[in-house]
């Protein structure tokens, strides 16, 4: 296993956000790719939107419906515009987005910074302003922007930053010219050039890795990367860990799909990391278990916190030494602040149940010498109080998500006098010895 030094992990210190008035909070919604790829039409997609309404997901905050690749004809019009596939959208793209809006959704669409999309349809390189006008006219206000079919270096004379900036510039220019709200831009750069360092200057989110898969090893690998870059997320700019696979072909159905506990871990981690939450499963077949995970209001409340935009971050790795990169066993102990209390996430990356112990003051957000109430964000119950430390039993590949709130000073006379007793001194400068 690779053991990395602390100084090499931070990349940029903090994130530079493109604060243009949109995208303050991460989006919640649906994306068509992981379920349908290119095999869909407007009727099939509207059935997913209607299922979201029926299952209460729209009410829970999932207000975006994202149309991914393969929606267009293979060739542009004689005027050079992208043309919606008439077989998939026989009533036109405007009609489709109007139906989505009647249901209560905002609409997002997909394109590419190269000559073609990853599916081989017209990309937007060299046509940024024209395509932006088309997307806006169709009724879309969010753009997922991919990274396939890149022109030769001698053509672009730019790296990924410059190619993506062409669309950012087009968005800014159109907003100024028309007085309209800028379109949100989600960069899909796959993490090759560390977008968590620079992409916040261009868009509201950026993909950090390749495509997610609906099994535990894929989740663990992504969480391992997140262990080192979670601090790069804040208001208006955030790491995108790819789509939610919760409910893929029904939770717990082999081969390869997530168990119920793994699906809870997936959703909890993505939400508390403040990633965009875009459902990538067939909701017309969703079980009650699937909906119970996706609609967890306590977790979503942290995800949509209006006052604190930072993600949780590890305070201890657990199985491995701190700052160890291991795609099988990422960091297990995480914490962060919120408007509703101090967040703790305990992630059991092992194949057996584990009793996970920690000192409260391992979290930077905890005050020493205080007692904290403990709220479980999955059972939705208050579970007494904790003083100095606590233990939680977590199932294999499972998660515990806790919210702690200060309820007063700890009892007098507790020993050791400090939770970190090795740092504790008397007024005369001598160390306390446990």
């Amino acid at each position: 296993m690779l053991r990395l030094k602390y100084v090499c992990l931070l990349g940029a210190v903090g994130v530079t956000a493109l604060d243009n008035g949109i995208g303050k909070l991460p989006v919640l919604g649906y994306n068509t790719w992981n379920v349908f790829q290119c095999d869909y039409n407007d009727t099939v997609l509207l059935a997913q939107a209607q299922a979201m309404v029926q299952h209460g997901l729209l009410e829970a905050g999932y207000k975006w419906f994202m149309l991914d690749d393969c929606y267009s004809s293979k060739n542009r019009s004689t005027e050079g515009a992208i043309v919606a596939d008439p077989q998939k959208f026989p009533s036109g793209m405007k009609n489709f987005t109007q139906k989505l809006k009647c249901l209560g959704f905002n609409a997002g669409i997909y394109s590419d910074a190269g000559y073609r999309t990853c599916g081989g349809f017209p990309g937007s390189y060299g046509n940024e302003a024209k395509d932006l006008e088309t997307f806006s006219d169709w009724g879309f206000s969010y753009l997922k922007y991919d990274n396939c079919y890149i022109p030769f270096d001698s053509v672009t004379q730019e790296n990924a930053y410059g190619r993506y900036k062409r669309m950012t510039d087009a968005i800014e220019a159109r907003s100024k010219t028309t007085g309209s709200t800028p379109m949100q831009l989600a960069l899909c750069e796959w993490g090759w050039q560390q977008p968590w360092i620079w992409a916040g200057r261009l868009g509201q989110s950026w993909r950090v890795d390749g495509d997610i898969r609906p099994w535990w090893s894929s989740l663990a690998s992504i969480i391992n990367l997140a262990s080192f870059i979670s601090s790069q997320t804040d208001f208006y700019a955030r790491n995108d860990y790819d789509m939610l696979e919760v409910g893929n072909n029904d939770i717990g159905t082999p081969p390869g799909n997530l168990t119920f506990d793994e699906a809870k871990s997936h959703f909890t981690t993505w939400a508390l990391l403040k990633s965009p939450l875009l459902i990538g499963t067939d909701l017309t077949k969703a079980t009650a278990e699937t909906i119970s995970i996706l609609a967890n209001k306590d977790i979503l409340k942290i995800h949509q916190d209006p006052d604190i935009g930072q993600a949780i971050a590890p305070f201890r790795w657990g199985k491995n030494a701190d700052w160890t990169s291991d795609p099988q066993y990422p960091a297990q102990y995480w914490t962060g602040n919120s408007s509703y209390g101090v967040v703790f996430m305990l992630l059991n990356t092992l194949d057996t149940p584990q009793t996970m112990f920690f000192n409260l003051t391992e979290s930077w957000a905890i005050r020493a010498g205080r007692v904290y109430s403990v709220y479980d964000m999955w059972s939705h119950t208050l579970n007494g109080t904790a003083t100095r430390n606590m233990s939680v039993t977590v199932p294999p590949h499972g998660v515990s998500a806790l919210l702690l709130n200060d309820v007063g000073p700890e009892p007098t006379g507790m020993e050791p006098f400090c939770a970190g007793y090795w740092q504790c001194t008397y007024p005369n400068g001598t160390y306390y010895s446990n």
Side-chain angles (χ1 to χ4, degrees):
M1 292 180 291
L2 175 65
R3 190 166 292 177
L4 301 174
K5 292 182 179 180
Y6 181 86
V7 70
C8 298
L9 301 173
L10 296 179
V13 179
V15 69
T16 302
L18 178 66
D19 178 3
N20 59 0
I22 61 163
K24 177 182 177 181
L25 298 175
V27 298
L28 290 158
Y30 188 87
N31 183 284
T32 62
W33 180 254
N34 284 24
V35 182
F36 302 107
Q37 296 193 5
C38 295
D39 187 17
Y40 62 80
N41 57 38
D42 57 356
T43 301
V44 169
L45 300 186
L46 288 169
Q48 294 296 319
Q50 289 164 351
M52 292 178 73
V53 175
Q54 292 164 4
H55 288 306
L57 294 175
L58 175 66
E59 184 181 2
Y62 292 86
K63 296 181 178 179
W64 286 90
F65 195 95
M66 306 297 187
L67 176 61
D68 213 286
D69 206 351
C70 310
Y71 57 83
S72 73
S73 297
K74 285 286 187 177
N75 297 305
R76 292 175 176 269
S77 71
T78 55
E79 293 79 23
I82 291 179
V83 178
D85 185 330
Q87 300 300 315
K88 293 179 178 177
F89 300 93
S91 299
M93 198 64 86
K94 277 187 179 181
N95 180 272
F96 173 66
T97 61
Q98 285 170 357
K99 288 180 178 178
L100 287 175
K101 290 173 183 178
C102 285
L103 289 171
F105 293 97
N106 302 314
I109 199 167
Y110 166 97
S111 191
D112 193 283
Y115 287 135
R116 292 194 171 273
T117 68
C118 296
F121 296 84
S124 291
Y125 181 80
N127 292 282
E128 290 84 1
K130 182 184 291 290
D131 291 353
L132 184 63
E133 190 68 30
T134 297
F135 301 149
S136 299
D137 184 59
W138 281 348
F140 294 100
S141 51
Y142 183 107
L143 176 61
K144 174 184 173 181
Y145 210 44
D146 220 332
N147 195 34
C148 289
Y149 291 94
I150 298 167
F152 295 151
D153 290 351
S154 60
V155 175
T156 67
Q157 299 184 36
E158 287 283 5
N159 217 325
Y161 180 89
R163 292 192 299 274
Y164 280 119
K165 190 175 185 298
R166 293 171 66 102
M167 182 54 81
T168 299
D169 290 344
I171 291 171
E172 183 179 5
R174 184 180 186 279
S175 176
K176 288 180 178 178
T177 300
T178 63
S180 59
T181 301
M183 185 171 291
Q184 287 200 57
L185 182 63
L187 282 62
C188 191
E189 197 271 340
W190 320 326
W192 287 5
Q193 293 184 322
Q194 296 182 302
W196 48 88
I197 295 176
W198 52 266
R201 299 175 176 89
L202 303 179
Q204 282 71 44
S205 64
W206 49 86
R207 277 277 298 281
V208 301
D209 207 347
D211 290 351
I212 195 171
R213 295 292 184 264
W215 44 78
W216 178 254
S217 60
S218 176
L219 302 184
S221 178
I222 296 171
I223 296 168
N224 177 61
L225 175 57
S227 302
F228 302 103
I229 63 172
S230 65
S231 62
Q232 298 302 97
T233 284
D234 206 335
F235 289 137
Y236 300 104
R238 57 198 56 88
N239 294 311
D240 179 354
Y241 299 104
D242 206 7
M243 283 166 258
L244 288 173
E245 290 287 350
V246 174
N248 191 309
N249 300 322
D250 257 350
I251 290 172
T253 305
N257 296 320
L258 302 176
T259 67
F260 181 62
D261 285 322
E262 288 170 344
K264 286 173 61 178
S265 296
H266 176 22
F267 173 79
T268 303
T269 307
W270 265 234
L272 298 183
L273 284 169
K274 306 291 181 81
S275 174
L277 296 182
L278 296 174
I279 300 166
T281 55
D282 187 350
L283 292 174
T284 65
K285 301 176 182 178
T287 64
E289 285 183 328
T290 294
I291 302 305
S292 73
I293 294 173
L294 294 172
N296 184 319
K297 292 183 178 180
D298 285 326
I299 302 289
L300 291 175
K301 184 170 67 173
I302 306 298
H303 182 257
Q304 293 290 296
D305 191 327
D307 299 314
I308 296 177
Q310 295 89 0
I312 59 171
F315 63 86
R316 178 150 47 93
W317 258 240
K319 174 180 170 59
N320 289 313
D322 291 351
W323 302 107
T324 299
S325 178
D326 185 344
Q328 285 187 284
Y329 301 104
Q332 296 178 274
Y333 295 83
W334 301 67
T335 190
N337 206 1
S338 81
S339 299
Y340 315 101
V342 179
V343 177
F344 283 88
M345 184 182 78
L346 311 177
L347 184 69
N348 180 9
T349 63
L350 306 182
D351 298 332
T352 57
Q354 299 293 315
T355 298
M356 303 182 70
F357 172 88
F358 62 98
N359 290 317
L360 302 190
T361 51
E362 289 184 80
S363 169
W364 64 269
I366 287 288
R367 296 173 62 194
R370 309 290 292 182
V371 178
Y372 281 81
S373 64
V374 180
Y375 181 80
D376 188 314
M377 290 189 279
W378 277 108
S379 67
H380 311 292
T381 56
L382 272 170
N383 295 348
T385 59
T387 304
R388 296 204 175 182
N389 57 60
M390 62 181 299
S391 298
V392 180
T393 300
V394 184
H397 298 174
V399 72
S400 176
L402 306 174
L403 200 59
L404 272 63
N405 275 284
D406 190 330
V407 293
E410 68 180 27
T412 58
M414 286 192 67
E415 292 194 36
F417 297 131
C418 300
Y421 66 87
W422 55 91
Q423 295 179 319
C424 199
T425 64
Y426 292 99
N428 64 6
T430 59
Y431 280 99
Y432 171 83
S433 178
N434 184 32

